Amino acid sequence: MDIEAFALVNGAKWARLHALAHQRRLSGADADELLRLYQEASADLSLLRSLEPESTLSSSLSATLAQARTRFTGARSNFTEDLARFFVIALPAALYRIRWLTLWCGLAFCLIAAAYAAWIGTSPEALRALGSDAQVRRYVDEDFIDYYSENPAASFAGLVWTNNAWIAAQAVALGITGFWVPMILVANAQGVGVAAGVFAATGKLDVFFSYILPHGLMELTAVFVASAAGLRIFWAAVAPGPYRRSQAIAAEGRSLVTVALGLVLVLLVSGVVEGFVTPSGLPVWAKITIGAGVLAGYWFYVLRYGGAAHRAGARGDLDGGDAGYAEISA
């Protein structure tokens, strides 16, 4: 068969299909014509591929058919609409659903950290077990403070961001195990509590809080959110309710992966504060005010937009069609 003659005979039909596939609005007659031309062009493509499967003409006609198929199968939204829905509905709704569990994780963390701080701060034996007097003094006067300024602010912010995002992703992804979230909370609480106890024992607890609070308010809250998300997946496995266990786990997993994606952005903001604000020469009250403002902005977003989305029935999961079965109610 002469490929050039075949293209010449059918070229007008393919061009019309291409035009209809890219047309903004289709009338009923246009839609019928689009479907008819799609079926004819599909047969033409099959013939072309049997003769020259890698030809430019085959690739071009295949792209036209793909665009036409998108039109009549009904793509629901464009990228901008999906992005807006994610930030205005899906993400805040998913965060809102775990708000109380987030607070309980935060309370458990603070109690554990306070216990370690009280132990190290009031027990000379425990303090000596951490190192000699010279080592403790160097940690308080140099190492702890230098950590925030020994690297350029931009690279340090990026390092903190990726590290914390990785921790948050682990809490969400491995939460189903049941032990990973408590392990992360206890390990982080122990680290913060021991550091606070060392500063308290040397009479410099105010210095500790001046460096930990500006970024820590949001950074630790992000850890609590990730922990809450992981625990929700674990609980879906333990008590799936009226649904099949696999269905309940899948639904929680999809909605809480939304949380993990949102936390990447939350931790980016926290990393910027830690890299640029914490080691800066701003007054302590100003640095803490910035950190508190970031935290307040997060909770305003969750309670204002998440509450509205949740009351409207959103839970951060995919729509039923995309999920593959009916959505599970919140």
Side-chain angles (χ1 to χ4, degrees), residues 44-286:
D44 294 341
L45 180 61
S46 296
L47 182 58
L48 281 173
R49 283 180 170 170
S50 67
L51 299 172
E52 292 188 22
E54 303 299 328
S55 69
T56 302
L57 184 59
S58 294
S59 299
S60 176
L61 183 55
S62 178
T64 298
L65 285 168
Q67 180 62 36
R69 184 165 57 250
T70 299
R71 289 304 303 271
F72 65 70
T73 54
R76 294 170 303 174
S77 61
N78 58 35
F79 174 75
T80 304
E81 292 170 344
D82 290 338
L83 196 63
R85 185 184 184 280
F86 176 81
F87 284 108
V88 177
I89 299 175
L91 177 58
L95 294 172
Y96 185 84
R97 289 180 61 238
I98 58 173
R99 65 195 184 285
W100 290 114
L101 192 51
T102 297
L103 294 176
W104 281 113
C105 288
L107 178 60
F109 179 96
C110 291
L111 290 175
I112 296 170
Y116 272 102
W119 176 43
I120 300 296
T122 59
S123 173
E125 294 79 10
L127 185 63
R128 281 196 296 271
L130 296 175
S132 65
D133 290 345
Q135 289 174 321
V136 169
R137 181 63 59 182
R138 184 171 64 251
Y139 174 77
V140 171
D141 293 338
E142 299 175 18
D143 295 347
F144 183 84
I145 297 172
D146 291 345
Y147 167 76
Y148 296 101
S149 56
E150 61 186 0
N151 293 308
S155 61
F156 179 63
L159 178 64
V160 168
W161 174 38
T162 53
N163 179 66
N164 290 332
W166 172 238
I167 292 174
Q170 288 181 71
V172 175
L174 300 178
I176 194 172
T177 63
F179 69 85
W180 196 263
V181 167
M183 184 181 72
I184 287 178
L185 284 175
V186 171
N188 281 275
Q190 181 185 33
V192 172
V194 168
V198 170
F199 274 83
T202 57
K204 293 189 174 182
L205 191 58
D206 58 328
V207 176
F208 171 79
F209 284 120
S210 72
Y211 277 88
I212 203 71
L213 287 181
H215 65 276
L217 289 171
M218 189 67 256
E219 181 178 276
L220 291 175
T221 299
V223 173
F224 306 153
V225 171
S227 298
L231 290 175
R232 281 299 295 257
I233 298 177
F234 170 69
W235 190 247
V238 173
Y243 305 98
R244 294 194 306 273
R245 182 167 281 102
S246 60
Q247 184 179 0
I249 293 172
E252 287 294 345
R254 288 191 304 269
S255 61
L256 297 177
V257 164
T258 299
V259 172
L261 293 174
L263 286 180
V264 171
L265 300 179
V266 171
L267 288 167
L268 172 60
V269 175
S270 175
V272 170
V273 173
E274 186 169 359
F276 290 91
V277 176
T278 298
S280 71
L282 291 171
V284 173
W285 65 265

Side-chain angles (χ1 to χ4, degrees), residues 7-51:
L8 183 63
V9 171
N10 295 284
K13 177 176 61 178
W14 299 339
R16 175 59 179 165
L17 176 64
H18 183 273
L20 288 172
H22 290 82
Q23 189 170 305
R24 180 177 292 273
R25 295 183 181 278
L26 296 175
S27 65
D30 289 338
D32 290 340
E33 184 182 8
L34 174 68
L35 183 58
R36 177 179 58 78
L37 291 176
Y38 175 84
Q39 293 170 333
E40 294 177 4
S42 295
D44 294 341
L45 180 61
S46 296
L47 182 58
L48 281 173
R49 283 180 170 170
S50 67
L51 299 172

Side-chain angles (χ1 to χ4, degrees), residues 289-313:
T289 298
I290 291 173
V294 172
L295 180 62
Y298 167 81
W299 280 112
F300 174 81
Y301 171 72
V302 171
L303 297 178
R304 170 66 178 83
Y305 293 98
H310 188 265
R311 287 188 293 273

